[in-house]
């Protein structure tokens, strides 16, 4: 591995290679660089909204955020994912990149954009057909028609298939009748619902001719009559009751609300009918025969929301790190190496340990998000031939999106907290952004899918190899499916098995193998910085945990236990398998990005960060690797020493690594911290 610079007694003043910052910025911005910069330039002019969130009365701030969203719609940057004929940009990948860039600013604006264009507009685009597109999309994209996405209910959030809102087809009037079947089955936490939405895409159980057809989506007016400049708001539509969720931990510029429907009638054409339709005389039809498969196909088209949230979390982590690293690079405390000058915080080994591995992981997740965004664009905008290979690719995409979102949002929560603490009492002041960052991103771990539920979806795909029956399987079916296979069969189907077949020789087999590796206790052991070794270690962990889960599921069923009890007993193991899988995918993305970067300062900086990230991941789970014979005590200690050494080597580049995020100072605020 190349050492960019030799550590000195004053790393802050060590020379940094020319061109490093612009080179890194160009790499991070990637193919959508122009879109990202246009978005950041656009929201910089709204930087004052960050302060208004602290000073305006709550209802005024909600309206202010609404106004900003409508103004941004006029720029065309919020509608990039929609077809050009409706005023969009026709580029799904660019729309995700724009959303990621929008997360540098006020996160209430971000989420309201996500609700309006990603969820509401996205549902009409992905679940509707030409008649819906022509009726609504031009006004949605322009911000003239505001709407909401009414899926979650008070009694059912993650379990969408069990929603209790019902849409019954009345053949006599050719209408659907939307009903909240019990008082506590109301739609809840619905963004845009409490004040601004005129329409809702409502998810409800469809009943046709007395037969249950599962969850479908409908366009339902929830307000009627104009709002006025005097503050009078449009009134709820007939049969619709609207409530406000009240103050929240964060995102108080978003008007989250509750919806009840009391026999609300909408025309037959209100059904978003891409995957199913009802004829005027009440005949139900769908190109997808299976109800479960139809349901998962419908949800799969809405995956961009999950991808967007993960990307926004990574951006929020960058903002926090840009502030904390800049502060640590100018704040001095205590004399340590000089009798005349206090030491920079970032020159302390502990401070490096707190911030620099998080910085490395942020880069890793950024590149993993790049892969996910590219795959999303390819899968959702491809012509599609309906083959099993295409369906397999879609299920893999859904799994990768779920896992990346989980790791990215947990990372944001951890990173923002660590950065806040690293800025001391000053970090507690609202002007320094951490208050809003913490409060506004906390919900990222649970909306667009609870992270623990999402990781179970990842594990389900791994255990079944995204089989053709995937959408048919609930948890109990999955247990029975796995129990019917040999464990070796489960493992041989996985991508990690192929990786390990190529790299198994790189894995130490235990204490003797470690001793033979040559001075395992020496921090400079070249093998510790071999990316093939890093991938082999994470691949071994993934395959071993997955095999262990499969064996436990099979053993439980073979002993005659209830499949539900068996799954519950191994649920923590299931999540561990999924997490190990996604950690390996993240590292793979980083390793591939380093390999694809031409030699030079940018490559060398990424190389250091990639090593730091990989060894930090291994170090964090060193007890597991030791338990399973892949780390000796001496090698585990060597990895810890190597992480410390890498922190010292990254330290002279730390400021440039956050400067490369190219976040305008107006969006960072924090003048007392960053100078």
């Amino acid at each position: 591995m190349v050492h960019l610079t030799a550590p000195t007694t004053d790393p802050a003043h060590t020379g940094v290679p020319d061109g490093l910052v612009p080179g890194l910025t160009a790499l991070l911005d990637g193919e959508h660089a122009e879109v990202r910069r246009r978005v950041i330039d656009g929201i910089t002019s709204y930087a004052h909204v960050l302060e208004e969130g602290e000073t305006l009365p709550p209802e005024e701030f909600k309206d202010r955020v609404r106004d900003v969203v409508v103004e941004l719609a006029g720029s065309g940057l919020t509608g990039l994912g929609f077809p050009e004929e409706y005023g969009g940009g026709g580029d799904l990948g660019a729309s995700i990149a724009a959303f990621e860039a929008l997360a540098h600013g006020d996160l209430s604006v971000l989420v309201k954009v996500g609700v309006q264009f990603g969820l509401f507009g996205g549902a009409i685009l992905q679940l509707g057909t030409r008649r819906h597109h022509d009726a609504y999309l031009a006004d949605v994209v322009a911000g003239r028609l505001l709407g909401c996405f009414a899926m979650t209910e008070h009694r059912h959030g993650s379990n969408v298939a069990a929603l209790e809102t019902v849409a019954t087809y009345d053949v006599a009037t050719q209408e659907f009748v939307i009903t909240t079947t019990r008082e506590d089955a109301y739609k809840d936490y619905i963004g845009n619902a409490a004040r601004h939405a005129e329409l809702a895409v409502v998810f409800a159980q469809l009943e046709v001719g007395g037969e249950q057809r599962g969850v479908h989506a409908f366009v339902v007016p929830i307000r009627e009559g104009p709002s006025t400049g005097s503050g009078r708001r449009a009134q709820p539509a007939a049969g619709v009751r609207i409530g406000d969720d009240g103050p929240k931990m964060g995102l108080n510029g978003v008007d989250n609300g509750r919806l009840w429907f009391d026999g609300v009638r909408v025309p037959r054409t209100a059904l978003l009918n891409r995957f199913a339709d009802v004829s005027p005389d009440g005949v139900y039809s769908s190109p997808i025969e299976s109800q479960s498969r139809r349901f998962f196909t419908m949800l799969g088209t809405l995956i961009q929301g999950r991808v967007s949230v993960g990307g926004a979390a990574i951006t929020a982590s960058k903002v926090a790190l840009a502030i904390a690293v800049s502060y640590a690079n100018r704040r001095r405390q205590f004399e340590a190496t000089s009798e005349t000058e206090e030491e920079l915080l970032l020159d302390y080994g502990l401070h490096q340990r707190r911030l620099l591995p998080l910085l490395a992981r942020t880069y890793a997740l950024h590149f993993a998000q790049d892969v996910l965004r590219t795959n999303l664009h390819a899968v959702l905008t491809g012509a599609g031939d309906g083959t099993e290979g295409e369906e397999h690719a879609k299920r893999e995409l859904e799994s990768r999106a779920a896992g990346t979102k989980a790791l990215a949002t947990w990372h944001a929560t951890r990173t923002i907290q660590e950065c806040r603490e690293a800025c001391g009492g000053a970090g507690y002041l609202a002007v320094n952004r951490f208050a809003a960052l913490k409060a506004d991103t906390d919900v990222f771990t649970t909306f667009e899918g609870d992270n623990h539920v999402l990781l179970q979806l990842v594990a389900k795909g791994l255990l079944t190899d995204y089989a053709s029956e995937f959408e048919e399987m609930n948890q109990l079916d999955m247990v029975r499916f796995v129990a019917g296979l040999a464990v070796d069969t489960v493992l041989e189907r996985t991508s990690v098995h192929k990786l390990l077949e190529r790299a198994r020789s790189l894995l130490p087999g235990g204490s003797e193998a470690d001793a033979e590796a040559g001075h395992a206790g020496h921090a400079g052991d070249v093998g510790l910085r071999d990316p093939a070794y890093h991938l082999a270690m994470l691949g071994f962990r993934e395959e071993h945990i997955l095999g262990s889960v499969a064996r436990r599921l099979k053993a439980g069923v073979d002993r005659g236990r209830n499949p539900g009890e068996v799954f519950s007993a191994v649920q923590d193991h299931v999540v561990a398998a999924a997490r190990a899988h996604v950690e390996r995918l993240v590292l793979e993305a980083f390793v591939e990005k380093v390999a694809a970067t031409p030699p030079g300062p940018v490559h060398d900086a990424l190389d250091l960060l990639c090593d730091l990230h990989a060894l930090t991941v291994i170090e964090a789970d060193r007890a597991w690797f030791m338990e399973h014979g892949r780390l000796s005590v001496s090698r585990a200690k060597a990895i810890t020493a190597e992480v410390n050494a890498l922190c010292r080597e990254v330290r002279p580049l730390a400021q440039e690594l956050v400067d490369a995020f190219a976040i305008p100072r107006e969006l960072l605020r924090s003048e007392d911290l960053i100078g």
Side-chain angles (χ1 to χ4, degrees), residues 546-626:
L546 189 65
S548 180
V549 169
R551 279 187 286 273
R552 290 181 67 189
L553 292 172
K554 186 174 179 64
V557 172
D558 289 349
R559 287 196 295 267
R561 293 178 61 192
N562 178 284
E565 293 177 359
V566 173
F567 183 79
S568 181
V570 304
Q571 215 166 4
D572 59 330
H573 214 157
V574 166
V575 168
R579 191 160 190 160
H581 170 69
V582 184
E583 286 280 14
R584 194 256 305 171
L585 292 181
V586 170
L587 179 58
E588 265 186 358
F590 204 168
V591 169
E592 290 170 2
K593 178 59 70 173
V594 174
T597 303
V602 171
H603 175 278
D604 296 343
L606 292 181
D607 210 0
L608 286 176
L609 286 175
C610 190
D611 287 341
L612 178 56
H613 168 68
L615 290 177
T616 301
V617 170
I618 294 170
E619 181 193 36
D621 210 12
R622 60 189 179 275
W624 187 94
F625 287 109
M626 293 172 75

Side-chain angles (χ1 to χ4, degrees), residues 153 155 163-167 178-186 205 207 260-261:
E153 293 178 1
R155 283 168 47 87
L163 295 179
E164 294 174 284
T165 303
V166 173
I178 314 292
T179 303
T180 303
T181 56
R182 48 187 290 166
E183 179 64 19
D184 58 355
Y186 53 86
Q205 303 284 355
E207 291 184 2
W260 290 259
F261 302 95

Side-chain angles (χ1 to χ4, degrees), residues 395 452 659:
R395 291 189 285 268
H452 289 94
D659 287 349

Side-chain angles (χ1 to χ4, degrees), residues 243-404:
D244 194 314
D245 276 316
K248 307 183 295 290
M249 181 185 291
L251 296 176
N252 283 303
V254 181
D255 52 320
N256 294 88
R258 300 167 176 171
L259 299 171
W260 290 259
F261 302 95
D262 183 12
V264 176
R265 289 180 171 268
V266 294
R268 183 182 64 86
T269 54
L271 171 65
L272 294 175
N273 63 334
R274 177 180 174 186
F275 298 113
D277 209 350
V278 177
S279 69
D281 56 352
V283 176
Y284 179 86
S285 61
S286 173
I288 305 172
E289 185 175 343
S290 163
Q291 180 171 307
S292 295
R293 182 167 299 196
R294 186 166 57 246
F295 172 71
F296 279 104
T297 300
M298 176 186 71
L299 293 187
T301 64
L302 305 176
I303 190 176
Q304 67 190 71
R306 194 166 287 165
V307 175
S308 297
V309 170
I314 296 166
T315 300
S317 299
K318 293 176 184 176
V319 173
L321 284 162
I323 296 169
V325 169
S326 297
Y327 178 67
N329 204 33
R330 64 188 293 269
R331 172 74 167 179
R332 295 181 180 273
Q333 287 291 285
F334 305 108
E335 294 81 2
T337 59
S338 169
E339 295 181 358
T340 59
E341 189 175 41
E342 292 181 289
E343 196 85 350
L344 288 168
L345 292 184
L346 201 52
D347 288 345
Y348 287 105
L350 179 58
H351 217 77
Q352 295 170 14
R353 262 288 192 158
R354 293 172 67 185
L355 295 180
L356 300 185
L358 293 175
L359 179 58
R361 186 172 179 83
T362 300
Y363 270 79
L365 286 165
H366 175 99
F367 296 127
Q369 177 75 5
D370 278 351
V371 173
L372 177 58
R373 187 190 324 103
T374 300
N375 291 352
L376 174 76
H377 182 86
V379 170
L380 290 193
T381 61
D385 54 12
T387 63
E388 179 57 30
E390 182 194 5
E391 292 304 310
H392 192 281
K394 287 181 179 178
R395 291 189 285 268
E396 279 193 322
L397 173 65
E398 291 163 14
S399 174
R400 188 169 194 137
T404 304

Side-chain angles (χ1 to χ4, degrees), residues 306 309-310 401-409 444-447 449 451 454:
R306 194 166 287 165
V309 170
T404 304
K405 183 266 182 185
L407 264 61
T409 54
F444 287 13
T445 61
T446 48
F447 74 19
N451 285 354
L454 293 181

